[in-house]
Amino acid sequence: MGMKDQFQDKAEELANKAKEKAGQGRDESRERGQGRRDEAARERGQQRDETSERMPREEDRMDQDYDV
């Protein structure tokens, strides 16, 4: 095996490692992005729940005020 072959093999090896690392980085980025979307959806759901619980109570108070 000549020096040229050794350098080509090493270059190919490094290129493959770089591609793997880039793929891992994209995967991790997607996972973090998905986690943020899930968290935001949960927060929106909690806000809706709180609003839906609060609305009937506020309406009852308003009815009581006007029934006097």
Side-chain angles (χ1 to χ4, degrees), residues 21-39:
K21 287 281 188 180
Q24 289 174 352
R26 280 192 294 272
D27 292 344
E28 290 173 3
S29 177
R30 284 188 195 123
E31 289 173 7
R32 283 193 303 268
Q34 182 64 37
R36 289 182 187 138
R37 284 190 293 275
D38 292 346
E39 185 177 325

